[in-house]
């Protein structure tokens, strides 16, 4: 068996990118020949000179950062250079023993690479890290109204709705890209899929090709088991993530202001000034390195995850549960699947300030949160989120598809 992993970037630039690279490194440890095919560099140093791993980077720009905007518009829909380079690469492989595993193509590579792989008879596995396989906006979310979008993708109503975070012209470009991806790129028609939560699969199921294989595999959580954090001795409520409207940090700021709540926002984004204005006492740390994050989490009482959109599988929730930090999550978000309501955390009605205040008030009870913390900690470590298990599952899926 040989594996070619498609990922826009040759370095870790987010959750999906980390999973792509962790997959490559995990597979080569099992003596599987892996090629990481990417568009945007630089290649991470730790990926160089790894046995059984070949990294190809085309040294292109991603769509957002390309100074040549006309080129970005065209290649974002159909990357001709990537397609040609990928076609040349595929000539070196046997389609009977090679899997094409797609982790990211929307920021640079485009569906042009999938198109040529399918034409040459290769089996393609598409990892559903988000909702771009169906939705032009990639999240079933209306950024203008700041609410979940229920419109059918590429329907007339979808096409005339300005839901893009930038402008309607950008939405029109996204619609064209989605049309090309679906009707020329062959996605989702010609790909098998890995979904990372039952929550996200229920949303995507009606848009996928049921004739192809579907597999559930949770993302791996690379975290070392340590002693449970005694959250019952802490006061600080925390938010971790981008400070952007769809993540809804402003709701927490409003609640914290009314409740005079000690709160720390870990991350950065366009909502930072609004948070400061609403609640000047709030701490905003920006993004933290691993050691600094550990120090903040030691003082945490509870994670608040008020996301206003679906998400797919927020890893920050699982990472906090692993430390014994319970979570309050909105019901509309995939993080709700990672929680046992009333046992490892609490769920509240999406964007409902009063409901969130009730949940936070419960978490102020030392005995309640101590029990939740213990339950969260034990529940996480009784399950297996290891990279080892993830890689074994991925190899099983590869074999199933090749058969």
């Amino acid at each position: 068996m040989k594996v070619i992993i498609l990922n826009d970037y040759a370095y870790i630039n987010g959750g999906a990118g980390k999973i792509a690279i962790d997959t490559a490194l995990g597979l080569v440890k099992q003596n599987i020949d892996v090629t990481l095919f990417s568009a945007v560099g630089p290649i991470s140093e730790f990926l160089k000179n790894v046995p059984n791993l070949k990294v190809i980077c085309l040294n292109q720009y991603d769509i957002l950062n390309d100074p040549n905007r006309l080129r970005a518009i065209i290649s974002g829909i159909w990357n001709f250079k990537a397609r040609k380079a990928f076609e040349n690469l595929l000539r070196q492989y046997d389609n009977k023993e090679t899997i094409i595993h797609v982790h990211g193509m929307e920021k640079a590579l485009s569906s042009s690479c999938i198109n040529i792989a399918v034409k040459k008879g290769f089996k393609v596995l598409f990892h559903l890290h988000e909702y771009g396989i169906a939705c032009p906006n990639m999240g079933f979310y209306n950024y203008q109204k700041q609410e979940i979008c229920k419109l059918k993708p590429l329907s007339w109503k979808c096409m005339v709705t300005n839901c893009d975070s930038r402008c309607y012209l950008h939405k029109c470009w996204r619609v064209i890209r989605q049309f090309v991806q679906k009707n020329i790129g062959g996605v989702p028609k010609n790909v098998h899929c890995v979904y990372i939560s039952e929550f996200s699969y229920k949303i995507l199921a009606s848009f996928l090709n049921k004739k192809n294989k579907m597999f559930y595999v949770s993302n791996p959580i690379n975290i070392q088991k340590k002693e449970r954090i005694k959250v019952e001795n802490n006061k600080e409520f925390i938010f971790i993530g981008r400070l952007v409207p769809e993540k809804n940090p402003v709701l927490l700021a409003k609640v914290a202001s009314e409740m005079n709540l000690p709160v720390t926002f870990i991350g950065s984004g366009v909502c930072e000034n609004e948070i400061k204005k609403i609640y000047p006492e709030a701490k905003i740390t920006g993004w933290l390195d691993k050691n600094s994050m550990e120090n903040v989490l030691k003082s945490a009482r509870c994670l608040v995850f008020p996301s206003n959109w679906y998400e797919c599988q927020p890893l920050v929730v699982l990472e906090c549960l692993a430390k014994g930090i319970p979570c309050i999550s909105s019901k509309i978000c995939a993080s709700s699947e990672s929680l046992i309501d009333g046992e490892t955390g609490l769920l509240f009605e999406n964007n409902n300030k009063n409901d969130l205040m009730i949940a936070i008030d419960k978490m102020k009870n030392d005995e309640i949160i101590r029990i939740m913390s213990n339950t969260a900690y034990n529940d996480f470590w009784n399950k297996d989120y290891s990279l080892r298990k993830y890689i074994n599952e991925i190899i099983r899926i590869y074999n199933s598809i090749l058969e």
Side-chain angles (χ1 to χ4, degrees):
M1 178 196 299
K2 295 183 179 181
V3 179
I4 302 174
I5 292 177
L6 289 184
N7 193 56
D8 287 319
Y9 301 88
Y11 57 90
I12 296 174
N13 72 315
K18 185 177 188 307
I19 299 301
I21 288 174
D22 282 350
T23 302
L25 295 176
L27 290 171
V28 297
K29 287 182 179 178
Q30 299 297 317
N31 295 316
I32 294 175
D33 186 322
V34 178
T35 297
L36 175 63
F37 184 85
S38 61
V40 186
I43 300 172
S44 291
E45 286 298 321
F46 65 85
L47 292 176
K48 298 176 180 178
N49 302 314
V50 177
N52 299 323
L53 177 63
K54 179 181 180 181
V55 182
I56 297 174
C57 181
L58 304 180
N59 292 316
Q60 294 180 303
Y61 290 99
D62 60 17
I63 301 168
L64 184 62
N65 294 301
D66 193 338
N68 186 328
R69 299 316 296 160
L70 178 60
R71 181 174 61 195
I73 289 169
I74 296 171
S75 65
I77 295 171
W78 195 261
N79 191 327
F80 290 91
K81 180 180 178 181
R83 187 181 189 275
K84 183 64 176 177
F86 197 54
E87 182 178 13
N88 291 335
L89 175 67
L90 292 179
R91 291 194 180 101
Q92 305 170 31
Y93 290 84
D94 181 350
N95 61 15
K96 299 293 191 298
E97 63 171 27
T98 306
I99 287 284
I100 313 298
H101 191 168
V102 183
H103 282 272
M105 62 162 197
E106 296 86 359
K107 304 292 177 63
L109 290 172
S110 83
S111 60
S112 66
C113 294
I114 297 176
N115 169 269
I116 192 62
V118 171
K119 279 191 173 183
K120 288 187 171 294
F122 287 87
K123 299 293 194 300
V124 179
L125 180 66
F126 197 101
H127 216 107
L128 299 171
H129 292 290
E130 29 73 10
Y131 299 98
I133 199 169
C135 173
N137 222 6
M138 299 178 65
F140 292 103
Y141 192 75
N142 188 318
Y143 287 89
Q144 298 296 323
K145 294 183 177 181
Q146 295 300 326
E147 62 184 26
I148 296 295
C149 176
K150 300 289 187 179
L151 299 177
K152 181 181 178 181
L154 297 185
S155 66
W156 176 249
K157 284 187 177 181
C158 166
M159 289 189 286
V160 299
T161 298
N162 179 17
C163 58
D164 195 85
S165 60
R166 296 172 181 85
C167 64
Y168 182 62
L169 278 177
H170 197 263
K171 166 64 185 290
C172 293
W173 176 84
R174 286 181 179 272
V175 167
I176 294 169
R177 179 177 69 172
Q178 197 75 19
F179 181 86
V180 170
Q181 175 180 298
K182 181 179 179 180
N183 295 286
I184 303 175
V187 181
K189 181 181 179 181
N190 296 320
V191 300
H192 305 285
C193 293
V194 169
Y195 58 95
I196 60 178
S197 68
E198 295 295 341
F199 182 100
S200 61
Y201 179 67
K202 287 177 184 177
I203 295 165
L204 285 169
S206 63
F207 305 106
L208 303 176
N209 184 359
K210 298 298 176 57
K211 294 181 181 179
N212 291 333
K213 296 182 179 181
M214 304 291 150
F215 306 92
Y216 166 69
V217 182
S218 173
N219 282 332
I221 310 295
N222 185 22
I223 191 168
Q224 183 181 356
K225 186 176 183 180
K226 295 182 180 179
E227 185 180 352
R228 179 185 74 88
I229 293 174
K230 304 297 190 292
V231 298
E232 61 273 16
N233 298 329
N234 299 334
K235 302 295 182 185
E236 202 76 12
F237 286 76
I238 61 171
F239 174 101
I240 304 174
R242 291 179 296 122
L243 304 182
V244 292
E246 60 269 25
K247 295 283 189 178
N248 215 7
V250 169
L251 177 66
L252 176 57
K254 291 177 179 177
V255 168
S257 178
E258 290 191 27
M259 300 181 73
N260 195 28
L261 194 73
V263 62
T264 298
F265 293 86
I266 303 169
S268 64
V270 295
C271 292
E272 187 169 333
N273 289 333
E274 188 176 0
I275 292 168
K276 290 177 180 177
K277 184 177 179 180
I278 292 170
Y279 192 39
E281 289 78 10
K283 300 173 187 173
I284 302 178
T285 67
W287 296 111
L288 300 176
D289 59 37
K290 185 176 180 180
N291 290 333
S292 300
M293 176 73 82
E294 287 289 327
N295 289 331
V296 172
L297 293 180
K298 287 177 184 177
S299 302
R301 184 176 183 88
C302 178
L303 172 73
V304 182
F305 200 86
S307 192
N308 213 20
W309 65 346
Y310 287 139
E311 309 274 354
C312 274
Q313 191 193 35
L315 297 184
V316 66
V317 174
L318 290 168
E319 289 166 352
C320 282
L321 295 177
K323 296 176 180 297
I325 302 173
C327 175
I328 299 173
S329 167
S330 63
K331 292 180 180 179
I332 205 169
C333 173
S335 57
S336 60
E337 184 175 301
S338 302
L339 300 173
I340 305 172
D341 191 22
E343 296 184 34
T344 65
L346 295 172
L347 303 179
F348 73 97
E349 292 297 331
N350 182 53
N351 211 26
N352 187 315
K353 186 174 72 172
N354 290 334
D355 210 25
L356 177 56
M357 291 175 78
I358 291 170
I360 287 175
D361 203 49
K362 288 181 181 178
M363 291 297 195
K364 287 184 174 182
N365 185 297
D366 290 342
E367 184 60 17
I368 288 176
I369 204 165
R370 183 189 65 81
I371 293 171
M372 277 197 186
S373 175
N374 273 300
T375 305
Y377 181 82
N378 292 328
D379 181 69
F380 178 90
W381 290 108
N382 285 336
K383 298 172 182 176
D384 189 355
Y385 290 100
S386 67
L387 181 61
R388 174 191 53 79
K389 180 185 178 183
Y390 166 82
I391 291 298
N392 287 339
E393 285 292 302
I394 290 296
I395 293 173
R396 179 185 64 80
I397 290 169
Y398 291 166
N399 286 324
S400 174
I401 292 172
L402 288 175
E403 287 172 1

